[in-house]
């Protein structure tokens, strides 16, 4: 079933997308045309509205100078007075002063609308029309066809005579018939069964069949068939006199709708099938219109469109396909045509354009794509030049106006992994074209420089990557999302590290460190030994919100970043009162926080970590986190953990022992996960060093099967299940 809480965009239904579901429409139209022509003899092109074969006359709502008018976005939308037309359709119209909304009610249907907007609400649906209501000379006007379609009316627009025809929906027609609008109904004897009150045939007074099937309280209920002018128009489930549930609707041209119904209207999931049985559409429907997610099909059975549909048209996000099933467009649609942001593909399915569209043509800014084989020069292991021909995607910034190319801008060359359609995806290198073709003894060649290298996802720089400036120097290295700095990364100025920390939407956000260098401290190669002042702080949307600490780095640099052996010393602690305060006390020395190997400004390799001038870790580091083998010193209980680390936490096999006692007795050995004892392990007595427990642990607690030992460390006095550091008997007693 279709989710009722949806936003639905409605476009004007033209003759091209209409299937008229009533057999007498032609006769009604002819009669109405004749009446309209007679009425408007003095002004043949005056817009008209015909409701149920009768020309609508607005009466006192309009003065002598006013008449219905045609306008809107497409210039073919008939606008009519809201109040008089809704009242003509049987609605009671009121004004909700508190909500500043118009309220129209009929039976169990209520419609609400704020004047001057395109949104109309009825029951659980919100319809967003193409045109907003209008106010002219004190009269409120609405787009007649889209509002009528929204209410379930069957419509047809004649642009030649500027006439809109409305006829009640199937549900309204059934309700009118049951109320006696077409004369009294008679009950014929049932041809099957012996319970005339529950099954039988309802006949019009002209003895023509109108309904055949199950009945309750003299109205359709259960399974049945419905006829109009002797033609079967519906068969399926009924509830309270209306089609409700699953059913089939037969159009005059032989096509049929098969799917779900709600309160007499095609609402839910359904499909449209041609007279020959070919599938034309499958997907969502609302109030008798194709609405929601759906698929249109070609004559060969392949999908021609897949995506959002509104009032029988492609509208919203969707994809179109050619006769071979190859995607030709993926993007935004409006009123059945390409409009908005989208991608176009060639007959082989390769992307050729990604950008803006208007009125089914490229219009605005975009990027064109073409693939060539180009020769690039790389460095081999001996730093020699190696030439390699590679498939290269040339991407050019362009602007269009209604399909015509106006300007061409920057051109990029991409080499790397791509999707099947040619969109960059995976690892690749993007180069910027900086010069035109030039002639020399070496032939013609293009001039390019590095712009980006790293990871792509569906054409967007997402993942880890490097951005370069005009002098081929790195200006950012780290995580990106949709081409913007997001996550952990390093920013550079003049090739030297300027900021390292967290980013959000291209702005410094969270904890970060800013580096300052004095002249003469760095080599021209951006490598060697040097010193830098590092200010750590908390950033909000690119601005320093709070100072945390002032550090000094002393050691090796490579490629403009701390790399190699070095030390990081805390000189001034802005947060903690017991930290060093060298800025306010010149005689105070700093506290070393790390010494060891660096790579890309982060601890990497072997190193030592200090807190308050005390060693807390000695071991392996990866990208600034404890990873590998190491020793962690706990100054609170004077214990040492020696073992495996992962992502800054104890993870794997390790041992804990007492660091103060000369014998350093073993306290625990076993498995760790997430920084806690998890899995199999052994606990030892802190005084004697004898085994006290052997078994399973969960989050530092005895949990699972295990054994408890006497003081000798060899004799067991309990063997069995443990829960939350208790024997199973103790656990049950506690949790009685």
């Amino acid at each position: 079933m279709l989710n009722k809480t949806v936003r639905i965009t409605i476009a004007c239904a033209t003759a091209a997308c209409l299937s008229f579901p009533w057999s007498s429409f032609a006769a009604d139209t002819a009669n109405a045309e004749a009446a309209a022509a007679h009425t408007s003899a003095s002004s043949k092109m005056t817009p008209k509205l015909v409701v149920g074969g009768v020309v609508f006359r607005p009466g006192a709502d309009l003065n002598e100078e006013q008449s219905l008018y045609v306008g809107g976005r497409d210039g073919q939308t008939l606008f009519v007075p809201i109040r008089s037309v809704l009242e003509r359709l049987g609605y009671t119209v009121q004004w909700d002063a508190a909500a500043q909304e118009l309220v129209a009610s009929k039976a169990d249907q209520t419609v609400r609308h704020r004047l001057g907007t395109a949104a109309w609400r009825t029951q659980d649906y919100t319809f967003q029309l193409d045109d907003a209501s209008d106010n002219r000379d004190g009269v409120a006007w609405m787009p007649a066809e889209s509002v009528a379609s929204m209410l379930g009316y069957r419509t047809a627009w004649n642009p030649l005579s500027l006439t809109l025809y409305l006829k009640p929906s199937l549900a309204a027609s059934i309700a009118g018939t049951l109320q006696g609008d077409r004369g009294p109904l008679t009950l014929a004897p049932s041809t099957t069964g012996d319970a005339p009150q529950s099954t039988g045939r309802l006949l019009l007074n002209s003895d023509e069949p109108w309904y055949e099937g199950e009945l309750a309280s003299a109205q359709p209920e259960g399974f049945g068939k419905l006829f109009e002018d002797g033609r079967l128009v519906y068969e399926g489930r009924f509830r309270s006199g209306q089609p409700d549930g699953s059913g089939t609707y037969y159009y005059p041209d032989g096509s049929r709708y098969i799917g779900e119904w709600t309160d007499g209207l095609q609402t839910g999931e359904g499909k449209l099938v041609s007279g020959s049985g070919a599938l034309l559409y499958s997907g969502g429907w609302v109030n008798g219109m194709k609405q929601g997610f759906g698929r249109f099909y070609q004559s060969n059975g392949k999908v021609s469109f897949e995506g959002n549909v509104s009032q029988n048209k492609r509208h919203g996000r969707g994809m179109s396909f050619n006769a071979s099933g190859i995607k030709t467009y993926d993007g935004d649609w409006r009123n059945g045509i390409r409009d908005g942001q989208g991608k176009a593909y060639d007959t082989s399915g390769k992307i050729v354009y990604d950008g803006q569209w208007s009125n089914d043509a490229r219009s605005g800014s975009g990027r064109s794509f073409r693939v060539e084989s180009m020769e690039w020069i790389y460095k081999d292991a001996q730093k020699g030049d190696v030439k390699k021909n590679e498939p290269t995607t040339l991407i050019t910034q362009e602007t269009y106006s209604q399909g015509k190319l106006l300007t061409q801008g920057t051109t990029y060359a991409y080499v790397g992994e791509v999707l099947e359609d040619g969109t960059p995806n995976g690892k690749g290198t993007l180069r910027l074209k900086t010069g035109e073709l030039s002639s020399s003894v070496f032939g013609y060649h293009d001039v390019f420089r590095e712009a980006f290298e790293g990871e792509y996802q569906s054409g967007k720089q997402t993942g880890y990557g490097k951005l370069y400036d005009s002098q081929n120097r790195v200006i950012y290295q780290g995580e990106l999302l949709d081409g913007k700095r997001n996550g952990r990364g390093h920013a550079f100025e003049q090739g030297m590290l300027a900021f390292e920390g967290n980013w959000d939407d291209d702005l410094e956000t969270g904890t970060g460190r800013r580096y300052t260098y004095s002249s003469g401290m760095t080599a021209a190669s951006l490598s060697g030994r040097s010193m830098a002042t590092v200010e750590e702080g908390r950033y909000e949307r690119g601005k320093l919100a709070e100072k945390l600490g002032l550090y000094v780095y002393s050691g090796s640099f490579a490629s403009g970043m701390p790399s190699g052996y070095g030390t990081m010393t805390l000189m001034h602690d802005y947060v903690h009162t017991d930290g060093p305060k060298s800025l306010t006390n010149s005689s105070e020395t700093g506290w070393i926080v790390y010494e060891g190997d660096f790579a890309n400004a982060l601890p990497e390799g072997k190193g030592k970590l200090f807190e308050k001038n005390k060693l807390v870790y000695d071991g392996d580091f990866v990208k600034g986190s404890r990873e590998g083998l190491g020793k962690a010193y706990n100054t609170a209980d004077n214990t040492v953990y020696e073992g495996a680390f992962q992502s800054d936490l104890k993870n794997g096999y390790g041992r804990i022992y007492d660091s103060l006692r000369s014998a350093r007795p073993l306290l625990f050995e076993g498995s760790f996960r997430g920084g806690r004892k998890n899995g199999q392990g052994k606990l030892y007595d802190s005084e004697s060093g004898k085994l006290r427990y052997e078994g399973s642990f969960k989050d530092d607690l005895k949990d699972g099967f295990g054994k408890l030992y006497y003081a000798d460390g060899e004799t067991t006095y309990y063997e069995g299940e443990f829960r939350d550091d208790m024997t199973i008997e103790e656990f049950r007693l506690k949790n009685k």
Side-chain angles (χ1 to χ4, degrees), residues 517-595:
Y517 309 87
S518 60
S519 60
M521 281 192 174
T522 58
S525 63
L526 309 179
S527 299
R529 291 193 62 81
S530 185
M531 294 181 64
T533 300
V534 184
E535 186 175 64
E536 184 178 61
R538 183 176 59 83
Y539 289 79
E540 294 180 358
R541 303 298 295 167
K543 295 182 179 180
L544 180 62
E546 180 185 12
K547 292 182 178 181
L548 301 178
L550 183 69
Y551 297 80
V552 169
Y553 170 80
S554 178
S556 298
F557 280 78
S559 301
M561 289 194 291
S563 290
Y565 190 84
T567 60
M568 188 73 76
T569 304
L570 176 62
M571 303 300 296
H572 194 91
D573 191 335
Y574 293 96
V575 179
H576 305 98
T577 58
D578 57 349
K581 299 289 188 291
S582 63
L583 292 181
T584 55
N585 185 357
S586 58
S587 63
E588 186 170 1
T589 59
W591 291 1
I592 188 170
V593 293
Y594 175 80
E595 66 175 347

Side-chain angles (χ1 to χ4, degrees), residues 173-187 202-208 210 218:
S173 176
I174 293 173
T177 301
L178 290 173
Q179 293 169 6
D181 292 349
R182 301 177 63 186
L185 299 174
T186 58
L187 180 64
L202 283 174
L203 301 178
L204 295 175
N205 57 353
S206 59
D207 289 342
E208 291 184 353
W210 178 70

Side-chain angles (χ1 to χ4, degrees), residues 30-278:
N31 294 335
E33 286 279 18
H38 176 76
T39 303
S40 58
S42 61
S43 178
K44 294 182 179 180
M45 292 305 294
T46 300
K48 296 173 289 295
L49 174 67
V50 178
V51 181
V54 179
V55 177
F56 168 75
R57 293 179 175 80
D61 275 4
L62 304 182
N63 57 41
E64 294 180 0
E65 289 77 25
Q66 291 175 318
S67 63
L68 308 186
Y69 70 93
V70 174
R73 288 187 179 182
D74 58 4
Q76 289 288 307
T77 299
L78 177 66
F79 281 79
V80 299
I82 295 179
R83 177 180 291 276
S84 55
V85 169
L86 289 181
E87 288 178 344
R88 171 67 177 82
L89 298 180
Y91 289 85
T92 299
V93 181
Q94 296 177 325
W95 176 252
D96 186 339
Q100 290 292 292
E101 290 181 329
L102 175 146
V103 181
S105 303
K106 181 171 70 171
D108 58 352
Q109 184 183 51
T110 299
V111 181
R112 303 184 74 91
H113 171 66
R114 185 182 293 271
L115 297 178
T117 72
W120 294 70
R121 303 196 314 277
T122 173
Q123 270 69 14
D124 295 327
Y125 299 104
T126 295
F127 294 84
Q128 189 71 23
L129 312 186
D130 260 3
D131 297 295
S133 57
D134 194 11
N135 190 310
R136 287 194 175 191
D137 301 323
V139 177
W141 302 76
M142 68 181 183
E145 184 172 10
S146 52
V147 173
S149 298
M150 174 197 74
L151 298 175
Y153 280 78
R154 296 175 274 190
T155 69
W157 167 248
N158 188 331
L160 298 178
S161 63
L162 301 181
T163 304
L164 177 66
Y165 300 91
L166 303 185
K167 191 165 185 177
S169 64
L170 178 65
S173 176
I174 293 173
T177 301
L178 290 173
Q179 293 169 6
D181 292 349
R182 301 177 63 186
L185 299 174
T186 58
L187 180 64
S190 173
T191 58
T192 60
D194 55 0
Q197 69 274 15
S198 60
T199 61
R201 175 176 295 163
L202 283 174
L203 301 178
L204 295 175
N205 57 353
S206 59
D207 289 342
E208 291 184 353
W210 178 70
Y211 172 81
E212 181 178 15
E214 297 176 285
L215 299 171
S217 302
Q219 65 179 8
E221 187 76 29
F223 184 84
K225 298 180 179 180
L226 189 71
F227 301 85
E228 277 190 354
D229 301 319
R231 181 180 67 87
L232 176 65
V233 293
Y234 173 82
E235 62 178 334
R237 306 299 302 179
F238 285 82
R239 185 174 65 85
S240 300
Q242 293 288 359
D244 197 290
S246 59
T248 301
Y249 184 86
Y250 298 90
Y251 295 96
D253 63 359
S255 62
R256 60 191 184 276
Y257 165 85
I258 306 171
E260 297 175 326
W261 294 71
T262 301
D263 295 331
L265 296 170
Q266 294 127 304
T267 298
E269 291 293 317
K271 56 185 179 181
L272 184 65
V273 180
S274 71
S276 63

Side-chain angles (χ1 to χ4, degrees), residues 3 43 71 99 106 214 245 272 330 340 372 508 566 582 592 638-639 642 666 674 676 691 712:
N3 185 351
S43 178
K106 181 171 70 171
E214 297 176 285
L272 184 65
D330 182 358
E372 294 184 2
E508 299 96 325
S582 63
I592 188 170
N638 299 310
T639 59
E642 182 177 12
L666 184 64
R676 296 183 177 184
L691 181 63
D712 62 5

Side-chain angles (χ1 to χ4, degrees), residues 302-611:
K302 292 185 178 294
V303 174
S304 63
F305 173 83
E306 176 181 285
N308 292 320
V309 178
S310 178
Q311 201 176 7
N312 304 319
K313 297 180 182 179
R314 295 169 288 188
H315 196 105
R317 192 76 182 180
M319 298 180 291
S320 61
F321 304 85
N322 63 18
S324 300
I326 296 174
K327 183 168 57 178
T328 58
Y329 176 80
D330 182 358
D332 298 326
W333 299 75
R334 188 177 72 84
N335 289 342
I337 61 176
R338 294 170 293 184
D339 197 293
Q341 193 76 19
K343 300 177 182 179
Y345 303 85
D346 63 17
T347 54
S348 66
K350 302 296 184 183
I351 185 170
V352 294
Y353 175 77
D354 180 7
Q356 296 175 321
W357 297 74
S358 178
N359 198 28
D360 218 30
R362 301 180 190 182
S363 191
S365 62
R367 300 178 298 165
S368 67
F369 294 75
R370 79 175 189 274
V371 178
E372 294 184 2
S373 179
M374 298 183 68
E375 188 176 76
W376 300 99
I377 299 176
Y378 297 94
K379 297 291 184 181
D380 60 16
Q382 290 73 38
K383 299 194 182 289
D385 291 343
V386 177
K387 294 182 179 180
K388 186 178 181 182
N389 278 305
E390 293 188 291
T392 303
T393 304
L394 295 175
I395 307 170
T396 303
Q397 301 286 346
E398 298 176 336
T399 57
Y400 289 83
S401 177
Q402 292 304 310
K404 294 182 179 180
L405 178 63
L406 297 181
T407 61
Q408 284 189 320
T410 306
T411 295
Y412 294 89
Y414 173 79
V415 177
E417 299 173 346
V418 297
L419 295 173
E420 187 177 353
D421 64 7
T423 302
N425 192 75
K427 293 183 178 180
T429 300
L430 190 71
R431 298 177 175 91
L432 170 67
K433 184 179 177 184
T434 59
E436 297 301 321
L437 288 172
S438 61
S439 177
S440 70
V441 293
F442 302 106
Y444 291 95
H445 63 277
D446 282 323
V447 179
F448 288 87
R449 71 163 177 83
E450 299 286 325
F452 172 79
E453 64 174 324
E455 299 174 344
Y456 282 83
Q457 288 186 16
S458 300
K460 296 181 178 180
Q461 295 162 352
T462 297
Y464 188 84
K466 295 180 180 179
L467 297 172
Y468 294 85
D469 65 10
S470 59
Q471 299 181 39
N472 277 339
R473 295 178 304 194
V474 177
I475 57 175
Y476 177 78
Q477 175 177 319
E479 296 175 309
L480 297 110
L481 178 65
D482 292 346
K484 293 184 177 182
R485 293 169 290 185
N486 275 275
R488 188 80 181 176
H490 304 79
F492 299 81
E493 294 176 2
Q494 303 298 316
M496 296 297 295
L497 178 63
F499 177 86
E500 60 108 353
N502 296 307
W503 300 77
D504 182 37
D505 199 24
D506 250 357
L507 297 173
E508 299 96 325
T509 301
T511 302
R513 291 179 173 181
R514 191 167 298 280
Y515 288 70
T516 304
Y517 309 87
S518 60
S519 60
M521 281 192 174
T522 58
S525 63
L526 309 179
S527 299
R529 291 193 62 81
S530 185
M531 294 181 64
T533 300
V534 184
E535 186 175 64
E536 184 178 61
R538 183 176 59 83
Y539 289 79
E540 294 180 358
R541 303 298 295 167
K543 295 182 179 180
L544 180 62
E546 180 185 12
K547 292 182 178 181
L548 301 178
L550 183 69
Y551 297 80
V552 169
Y553 170 80
S554 178
S556 298
F557 280 78
S559 301
M561 289 194 291
S563 290
Y565 190 84
T567 60
M568 188 73 76
T569 304
L570 176 62
M571 303 300 296
H572 194 91
D573 191 335
Y574 293 96
V575 179
H576 305 98
T577 58
D578 57 349
K581 299 289 188 291
S582 63
L583 292 181
T584 55
N585 185 357
S586 58
S587 63
E588 186 170 1
T589 59
W591 291 1
I592 188 170
V593 293
Y594 175 80
E595 66 175 347
D597 298 327
F598 282 84
N600 298 327
L602 295 173
E604 179 97 18
K606 297 291 184 180
K608 295 180 180 180
L609 195 64
F610 299 83
E611 288 182 2

